Amino acid sequence: QVQLVESGGGWVQPGGPVRLSCTASRPTFSNDAMGWFRQAPGKEREFVAAISRTGIKKYNSDSMRGRLIISRDNAKKTVSLEIYSLKPEDTAVYYCAAASDYANIPPSAQFYDVWGQGTLLSVSS
């Protein structure tokens, strides 16, 4: 069954903000570490942000530095990603992922065992 569903993608103009959301149907959500990744056309998957079950956060420190806010609502079983000052190079499919019953921030994508289908974000004028 589908456990993670992303939403909030679409077309956005450069410079604008966007809020992506991921809704989980997993009963273990509050124990999971959650992450966002993205994959642009012709490029490898890239880490964007992660949040532990206790709210510790980690962000992409390269191209997206200072433009991200990740948050989670365990009662609503959602994790959100806000991206500011969007650039055309932010165009990608954004994926939500869960690391089951993981206490801290997973060190790499391989630690995430459940993935959503992704939502496409297109940034252009």
Side-chain angles (χ1 to χ4, degrees), residues 43-63:
K43 295 188 177 181
E44 294 187 351
R45 183 174 57 192
E46 177 183 27
F47 169 76
V48 177
I51 186 167
S52 74
R53 61 189 185 191
T54 59
I56 299 170
K57 303 172 184 180
K58 180 179 179 181
Y59 294 109
N60 174 304
S61 59
D62 298 321
S63 61

Side-chain angles (χ1 to χ4, degrees), residues 27-88:
T28 61
F29 178 82
S30 62
N31 288 334
D32 299 342
M34 300 298 298
W36 284 94
F37 294 78
R38 69 179 184 179
Q39 188 164 20
K43 295 188 177 181
E44 294 187 351
R45 183 174 57 192
E46 177 183 27
F47 169 76
V48 177
I51 186 167
S52 74
R53 61 189 185 191
T54 59
I56 299 170
K57 303 172 184 180
K58 180 179 179 181
Y59 294 109
N60 174 304
S61 59
D62 298 321
S63 61
M64 305 186 81
R65 188 183 188 94
R67 301 192 291 121
L68 303 169
I69 298 176
I70 188 171
S71 60
R72 68 187 295 163
D73 186 329
N74 287 339
K76 296 182 179 178
K77 294 187 177 181
T78 59
V79 58
S80 296
L81 179 70
E82 299 169 67
I83 311 174
Y84 296 90
S85 302
L86 282 163
K87 306 174 182 180

